[in-house]
Amino acid sequence: MMSERNIKIAPSILAADAANLGAELKRIEDAGADYVHIDVMDGHFVPNMGFSPDITKMLRKTTEMVFDVHLMISEPMKYIKTFSDAGADIITIHHEAMENPEEGIDYIHSLGKKAGISVKPGTDVSVVAPYIEKLDLLLVMTVEPGFGGQTYMEAMNEKIAKARQMIDNCGKEIDLEVDGGVTAKNIDMPAKSGANVMVAGSAVFKAEDIPAVIAEMRIAAK
Ligand code: DX5
Ligand code: ZN
């Protein structure tokens, strides 16, 4: 069955050639990617380090693409403004990192940015129910956050479907994003489950022919 959903592909630059990030962004822009996914990690919320506000700001000067900033950090409230100033368009924080996630969402909105909440594989998506209508994006992690190149957790398909149901029930247009291990071979799973924004790091940047992979992903997600 053909899906009516408009699928967006969001390459994660964690898998890009870090010594040539400007050129890497140009490659995915030319290849028709929709968002650039920027992974921010603090070595505390996750056992790895990621992109900084300064790098985000420098990259902002090189492209008009939508910056989808994924904050995998313990105290997001401290850095939301910094990333907003650096040029983020969408700022996603983790439910698990917030005592009061709504406060984070309101803060992001007060800066004129789109707000996302992410849930780790072990977190039930129903935790977002109390504030779902405030969201612009809901990110269901399909790997444990921290590293690129992991395997897509098929057990998350059910959670994606539940998230889709929650979004449809609330009636607001909210992006349902998946992140981790997505490839052209398995993208049909999150797509069928109801996701419409597909983050893909390794599958895009390690490919010989990026436009071909992105096109293949769009076809497989239909
Ligand atoms: C994982 C990051 C992902 C990661 C995805 O912690 O949030 O965005 O870069 O990379 P792949 O597609 O290689 O799993
Ligand atoms: Zn991410």
Side-chain angles (χ1 to χ4, degrees):
M1 211 173 61
M2 297 284 273
S3 150
E4 297 294 312
R5 261 181 273 285
N6 178 20
I7 300 290
K8 295 178 186 128
I9 306 292
S12 162
I13 53 166
L14 198 56
D17 174 3
N20 293 294
L21 281 179
E24 292 284 74
L25 284 199
K26 181 89 174 61
R27 280 172 85 203
I28 56 169
E29 187 168 13
D30 291 348
D34 300 281
Y35 296 168
V36 188
H37 186 82
I38 302 177
D39 286 307
V40 179
M41 303 185 262
D42 63 354
H44 187 261
F45 183 75
V46 289
N48 195 7
M49 313 277 247
F51 292 105
S52 68
D54 282 348
I55 291 177
T56 306
K57 198 171 175 179
M58 286 178 198
L59 291 177
R60 184 68 289 174
K61 293 186 193 139
T62 72
T63 178
E64 300 274 298
M65 290 186 85
V66 171
F67 276 13
D68 172 32
V69 174
H70 179 195
L71 298 184
M72 290 169 275
I73 62 177
S74 292
E75 293 188 86
M77 289 301 272
K78 282 192 182 167
Y79 296 98
I80 285 169
K81 171 114 183 11
T82 315
F83 278 97
S84 170
D85 292 346
D89 297 295
I90 308 167
I91 301 177
T92 297
I93 57 178
H94 268 264
H95 176 91
E96 301 87 357
M98 295 293 296
E99 240 168 75
N100 179 4
E102 261 187 272
E103 215 181 297
I105 299 164
D106 290 344
Y107 186 32
I108 296 166
H109 283 154
S110 77
L111 299 167
K113 308 294 178 164
K114 289 193 170 168
I117 286 283
S118 178
V119 286
K120 297 206 282 183
T123 304
D124 197 302
V125 71
S126 61
V127 297
V128 309
Y131 56 79
I132 189 164
E133 71 286 343
K134 284 196 169 182
L135 292 177
D136 301 297
L137 179 146
L138 174 55
L139 167 53
V140 173
M141 290 304 301
T142 45
V143 297
E144 284 299 338
F147 298 91
Q150 303 182 74
T151 304
Y152 180 89
M153 295 167 71
E154 293 188 20
M156 295 301 116
N157 291 341
E158 214 176 299
K159 187 173 170 178
I160 299 162
K162 187 171 169 187
R164 168 50 60 196
Q165 221 170 34
M166 287 170 70
I167 289 172
D168 288 351
N169 288 346
C170 101
K172 188 183 163 191
E173 246 189 69
I174 299 168
D175 271 337
L176 179 52
E177 181 173 65
V178 287
D179 182 10
V182 176
T183 68
K185 298 264 177 297
N186 64 22
I187 199 168
D188 61 306
M189 288 194 276
K192 280 198 191 100
S193 307
N196 70 301
V197 183
M198 314 297 192
V199 175
S202 316
V204 169
F205 284 105
K206 308 292 182 220
E208 297 263 311
D209 186 343
I210 293 182
V213 168
I214 291 182
E216 211 185 311
M217 283 182 167
R218 288 194 200 284
I219 291 166
K222 279 217 168 110

